[in-house]
Amino acid sequence: MIRRVVAAVAALLLAPVLGACSAPVDDPLLKDPARWPLTGLKGLVDHHELPDGGERALAQIKVGSVDLIAWINSAGRCGLSGSDWSMYVDLTESAGQPSREDGFSGPMEPAAGVSSESKVSLFCTPTRMLIRVTGETSKPFVSGEAVAQLFRGGLNAVVGSPQAQRESLPGATVTPGG
């Protein structure tokens, strides 16, 4: 009898947890870019020209022949531009499934989208941008709201607040001015 009661209580307690793991997250933060922690960052004053739709440059990331500008806009896009291309993720259209890009630490956050251009991939949440450049390791450099570290034959970079940077790349060796 006691076992049945314990099993029933366990089932009642676990059902909401298991359901929450597979259900989409309806996070109002995703739908309101004005509330994103990314929009509160100081960003860059001097930078390359932004693509159509890019409003604020947050960071510059360079490694090898790759020179990138990380940007956001008030419509809900987080983007990345190279010398002759641009990509973005529209977070307001996200299903909001919690996830985290491989090779980074930190919290599982709702959001995200992944976009790629040749050697570069971008993963965005309202609190941080995770950027991976594969196949390039020479002369890594960041400025603005970013840190980076060499990882598996490439560079991982995080654009975000100092807290987001520490959470996602606790061993960052490439810092602004460093």
Side-chain angles (χ1 to χ4, degrees):
M1 175 73 169
I2 293 175
R3 285 185 183 159
R4 259 194 237 158
V5 171
V6 170
V9 170
L12 286 172
L13 292 175
L14 286 176
V17 172
L18 294 173
C21 292
S22 60
V25 176
D26 189 18
D27 188 342
L29 180 64
L30 294 176
K31 305 303 178 200
D32 186 4
R35 292 179 42 206
W36 294 358
L38 281 176
T39 61
L41 299 176
K42 181 180 174 187
L44 293 174
V45 176
D46 296 323
H47 54 80
H48 305 306
E49 186 174 323
L50 294 176
D52 288 345
E55 293 174 2
R56 291 191 51 232
L58 297 179
Q60 181 176 19
I61 297 119
K62 292 182 182 179
V63 60
S65 63
V66 177
D67 187 357
L68 306 169
I69 295 291
W71 55 267
I72 59 169
N73 77 13
S74 58
R77 292 181 181 165
C78 116
L80 198 58
S81 298
S83 60
D84 59 353
W85 57 267
S86 182
M87 65 178 157
Y88 68 87
V89 174
D90 187 339
L91 290 173
T92 64
E93 294 179 2
S94 169
Q97 291 295 347
S99 58
R100 177 181 53 239
E101 186 69 358
D102 184 39
F104 294 89
S105 344
M108 298 282 280
E109 291 185 289
V114 176
S115 188
S116 297
E117 173 68 30
S118 184
K119 303 175 182 185
V120 180
S121 62
L122 171 66
F123 181 88
C124 292
T125 78
T127 64
R128 66 199 79 213
M129 299 168 72
L130 307 176
I131 299 158
R132 174 170 292 132
V133 180
T134 57
E136 298 278 352
T137 58
S138 66
K139 299 181 184 175
F141 168 85
V142 295
S143 64
E145 308 287 346
V147 297
Q149 72 183 31
L150 295 176
F151 179 78
R152 293 186 189 163
L155 184 81
N156 282 355
V158 175
V159 176
S161 68
Q163 177 184 348
Q165 293 171 8
R166 282 188 307 276
E167 287 173 347
S168 295
L169 280 180
T173 55
V174 182
T175 59

